[in-house]
Amino acid sequence: MQLFRSKNTFILIILFMRLRSCSMLPIAFLFVFSACTPKVQTDLTKTAFIPKPASVTATGDAFELDGSTGIFIQEGADHLESTAQFLAKALGSSAAVEAVTDAPSKGIYLSLDATGQIPAEGNKMTIDSKLIHIEGGDEAGCFYGIQTLLQTLPASIAEGEKLIVPTGAISDAPVYGYRGAMLDVARHFFSVEDVKRFIDFLAEYKMNTLHMHLTDDQGWRIEIKSWPKLTEIGGSTEVGGGEGGFYTQEQYKDIVAYAAANFITIVPEVDMPGHTNAALASYAELNANGKATDLYTGIEVGFSSFDTRKDVTYQFIDDVVREVSELSPGPYFHLGGDESHATKHDDYVYFVNKVQGIVQKYGKQVIGWDEIANADVVENAAVQFWADAENTSLGLEKGAKVLVSPASRAYMDMKYDTTTVLGLKWAGTIEVDHAYDWQPDTVVAKLTKEQVLGVEAPLWSETITNMDELEYMVFPRLPGYAEIGWTKNEDRNWDEYKVRLGKFGKRFEAQGIDFYRSALVPWEE
Ligand code: TNX
């Protein structure tokens, strides 16, 4: 900027000298003013990033970027190729990605840290006027560096546009290794394309996990080849009686692969023994009385249960866990376990213990809603705190980690305020400040940071029927949840965050997101 400013001053003086006494003076003024207008800022510390990086320093110069800027990766780091392609696509770059043995003198260069100094998912980015170097602790770290870099650029980039990246250095790494959102595709079904768009949102804010709530009373959404009626019957409707839908195994694999390309792990949830009406309607033998139930399209909870004492129940679950686990490369299987009000306590404990064994048999770690703490908790299991602190403490005593999703703070299906048309309010209303202004390691007494697996913001879909509605409930709360999972508590505060968030309104708009324009946020026009 310093440079541009002095160049403009120079032009100004020359023009004035030439045109001092001529009638073209007003035109000269116009020219000079338009030459001065691009309000590029070159102070990297003034750039609004979400989540807030661990450290940012500025050197006050400018890197000029356009569609011809070269993109380079370190030779041998082949996994960086697709990440570099992601960047090229985002920049509308015409240059081919090139592998090089040494750092280039100009362009954008991605490499992996060989010294072990940069943690997993972390990165160091140095920007000078010639070279942007993103060094990742691993490939994910490079990907997140790219997401940071993209936030230095305008919301939408016109073809051939010359852009300025402020120079300086960013050093960054997340606090928690599990930063996620949940999407309930059971109450209302969301297509593969919808889920991919949701994944894009998570990736943009460096979230790394998408928990898919695949089954519930109203719908079974994942093809199980050994029990085909689950989707044929159980997938045929949704809340309100719409046609529902399901993912074939091929489609689910496509979602898993798309997520992986964005460094996101899918956590599949098959909710049981309650929330199982769709399965109970599909197969009579899973019911205590041997009769299939009717399909259900309402929004009550707590009325359905598998028969926990029948062998066929566990044969069924074994098949389901096996097939879903084969499709899901991530470490976790979520067995649900919430609101099983129609299951007797002893039956519930017996059931959860057996199912945890099945999950382990297929090589997965257990996650369940906080109620599962009433059963034995197997090694490496996590309880997902949503409502009950006592259950969660019990889980901690039994050695579980806690996935933090307090309904009163983190449920994206809660209304913003009492005037919000969509959503529910059983856990209260959640304005954007209330969604942001809390700390994951204080939600339950005696919780330590080490016991927190991470943070997840669930979106239940009883009232959410399509992408527009989803986006309205998710934005602008989602970036805040991402920051809670990424940035240290002591580096976060609402008054500073809301200003950064206000600058993202334009980004949401450019992405076609119809977001909630909270009056608490100073939206930048
Ligand atoms: C409670 S949170 C549920 C869900 C509902 C949600 C609606 C949890 C583990 N169970 O079945 O969809 O409230 O907010």
Side-chain angles (χ1 to χ4, degrees), residues 47 49 51 53 123 125 143-153 170 172 204 206 486:
T47 304
F49 297 109
N123 60 66
M125 173 152 58
F143 183 73
Y144 297 138
I146 288 169
Q147 296 292 1
T148 305
L149 174 61
L150 294 177
Q151 291 187 1
T152 67
L153 303 175
I170 297 177
D172 207 5
E204 212 180 321
K206 307 185 175 92
W486 183 279

Side-chain angles (χ1 to χ4, degrees), residues 121-250:
E121 299 189 290
N123 60 66
K124 278 203 172 117
M125 173 152 58
T126 49
I127 307 165
D128 63 32
S129 60
K130 295 273 176 285
L131 183 71
I132 298 177
H133 182 188
I134 300 173
E135 194 181 9
D138 51 17
E139 283 101 15
C142 274
F143 183 73
Y144 297 138
I146 288 169
Q147 296 292 1
T148 305
L149 174 61
L150 294 177
Q151 291 187 1
T152 67
L153 303 175
S156 55
I157 304 172
E159 214 186 308
E161 194 179 348
K162 279 212 186 304
L163 305 163
I164 293 296
V165 181
T167 59
I170 297 177
S171 167
D172 207 5
V175 172
Y176 294 110
Y178 184 122
R179 305 175 304 280
M182 189 207 79
L183 182 59
D184 172 7
V185 294
R187 269 54 175 273
H188 281 100
F189 182 65
F190 288 85
S191 71
V192 173
E193 286 316 305
D194 290 345
V195 176
K196 286 184 177 174
R197 182 163 161 85
F198 193 62
I199 286 171
D200 291 342
F201 296 154
L202 305 196
E204 212 180 321
Y205 301 100
K206 307 185 175 92
M207 283 181 155
N208 64 4
T209 311
L210 171 61
H211 166 183
M212 295 185 76
H213 184 75
L214 290 166
T215 67
D216 212 301
D217 289 319
Q218 300 85 346
W220 186 284
R221 308 297 178 205
I222 174 81
E223 177 188 20
I224 302 295
K225 298 217 193 250
S226 51
W227 296 77
K229 286 197 286 182
L230 287 170
T231 44
E232 219 172 89
I233 297 172
S236 66
T237 191
E238 60 185 7
V239 167
E243 66 181 14
F246 66 91
Y247 311 113
T248 63
Q249 294 203 349
E250 282 310 307

Side-chain angles (χ1 to χ4, degrees), residues 421-481:
V421 176
L422 297 167
L424 303 173
K425 53 173 197 257
W426 67 264
T429 55
I430 306 183
E431 246 298 354
V432 188
D433 58 342
H434 192 64
Y436 178 81
D437 205 0
W438 58 281
Q439 306 183 347
D441 50 356
T442 62
V443 291
V444 173
K446 289 197 268 177
L447 185 60
T448 63
K449 188 178 154 270
E450 289 62 43
Q451 289 171 313
V452 176
L453 176 66
V455 183
E456 182 180 290
L459 181 70
W460 299 99
S461 65
E462 285 95 333
T463 66
I464 317 296
T465 70
N466 59 42
M467 273 318 262
D468 278 350
E469 293 175 355
L470 178 151
E471 287 165 18
Y472 184 80
M473 297 308 278
V474 165
F475 285 96
R477 289 184 286 204
L478 183 94
Y481 297 125

Side-chain angles (χ1 to χ4, degrees), residues 226-230 278-287 291-292 316:
S226 51
W227 296 77
K229 286 197 286 182
L230 287 170
L280 296 167
S282 306
Y283 286 99
E285 59 265 45
L286 299 175
N287 292 273
K291 283 196 193 129
F316 167 80

Side-chain angles (χ1 to χ4, degrees), residues 263-282:
F263 296 89
I264 287 174
T265 304
I266 301 291
V267 174
E269 179 186 352
V270 174
D271 200 354
M272 51 191 159
H275 288 280
T276 44
N277 188 72
L280 296 167
S282 306

